[in-house]
Amino acid sequence: MLCSCSPRAGTCVVLCVLSLTCLCETATAQPSSDRARFLRWMYRDALALTRTIDERTPLYVASAAAFLLPLSHFDPAINPAIQQRYRGRFGDFLDFANHFGGPGVKLPAVAVFAASLLTRDTHLQDAAFTSLQSLIYAGAISYGLKYAFGRERPFEGDGAHDFDPFSGHTSFPSGHTTAAFALLTPWVLYYPHPVTYGLFALSTGTALARLARDKHWATDVIAGGAIGFLTAYHLSKRHLAERRRLSITPVIAPDALSMSLRLVL
């Protein structure tokens, strides 16, 4: 929709603004100015994730198993190869990256979101919230699978194929890797740039740190990374799509004042 008039025609400008306001009010709540969107996203996104469980889910699980099971034969050889390089600057980097998947990362994620609310940058607010939400949702999925599979960790010494469901063993998938990818992926998607792409180096470093410390097998971190990334990708795309549903663009020309309204239903 395009509303145009002469800059001197004040009444026309007022009517134009009023018409845009009416259209905005009849549209879906605009996420850029409504902080209640965060509450809506929490329950709507949870429902959307549960709806993804359908008759195709067993096929996805079977496909993941078909991919990971052959790789698990290489698990015992991968950890020693990483551990041999776990020193110097590379070791320091892995130690630093490991923090992005630890339990302590939740408080900074909350703090970043809280700080974003003090600004008027709604894009920043959405990115910070999506990062925190991804961390929560992906973590819930990861920890549910951990206890369901009951895989023993490398340092326990019973091998890469020791699974004892609901036994308390929690190697598969890697919670640290899940958290790192869930936390950082939204920032890459909201602010795509060669600099932000470097955040994936940190989440990958978290995965390698878990192998270097003998806390996980390679297939643990692959599964954890996939859960964290896919959860964050799904949530980010949903939120970004909602922002694009309604956009108002002012256009100022020498002989006219216009506003372009774009509404996607």
Side-chain angles (χ1 to χ4, degrees), residues 147-203:
Y147 289 99
F149 280 96
R151 190 183 196 185
E152 291 200 14
R153 295 178 184 268
F155 66 82
E156 294 179 287
D158 289 327
H161 298 94
D162 195 303
F163 290 84
D164 189 5
F166 304 104
S167 62
H169 298 293
T170 57
S171 187
F172 181 88
S174 167
H176 274 65
T177 309
T178 299
F181 275 92
L183 177 75
L184 299 175
T185 297
W187 294 103
V188 178
L189 297 177
Y190 272 84
Y191 298 95
H193 188 275
V195 173
T196 57
Y197 297 154
L199 293 175
F200 283 132
L202 287 174
S203 51

Side-chain angles (χ1 to χ4, degrees), residues 205-252:
T206 304
L208 295 176
R210 306 313 288 164
L211 304 181
R213 296 181 174 206
D214 221 26
K215 299 292 187 180
H216 286 285
W217 306 101
T219 45
D220 296 340
V221 301
I222 291 172
I227 292 169
F229 174 81
L230 292 175
T231 302
Y233 181 88
H234 172 77
L235 294 174
S236 297
K237 290 301 180 181
R238 281 178 59 88
H239 299 168
L240 286 167
E242 185 170 331
R243 284 183 62 92
R244 288 191 289 265
R245 287 176 186 170
L246 181 63
S247 61
I248 302 173
T249 305
V251 179
I252 302 176

Side-chain angles (χ1 to χ4, degrees), residues 115-134:
S116 74
L117 296 178
L118 301 178
T119 74
R120 303 184 68 177
D121 188 339
T122 55
H123 194 73
L124 174 64
Q125 294 172 7
D126 290 355
F129 175 80
T130 306
S131 175
L132 175 60
Q133 184 188 22
S134 299

Side-chain angles (χ1 to χ4, degrees), residues 87-109:
R87 59 181 182 274
R89 291 184 178 179
F90 181 62
D92 294 338
F93 168 71
L94 294 189
D95 289 338
F96 173 72
N98 186 65
H99 293 298
F100 285 88
V105 79
K106 295 182 179 63
L107 184 58

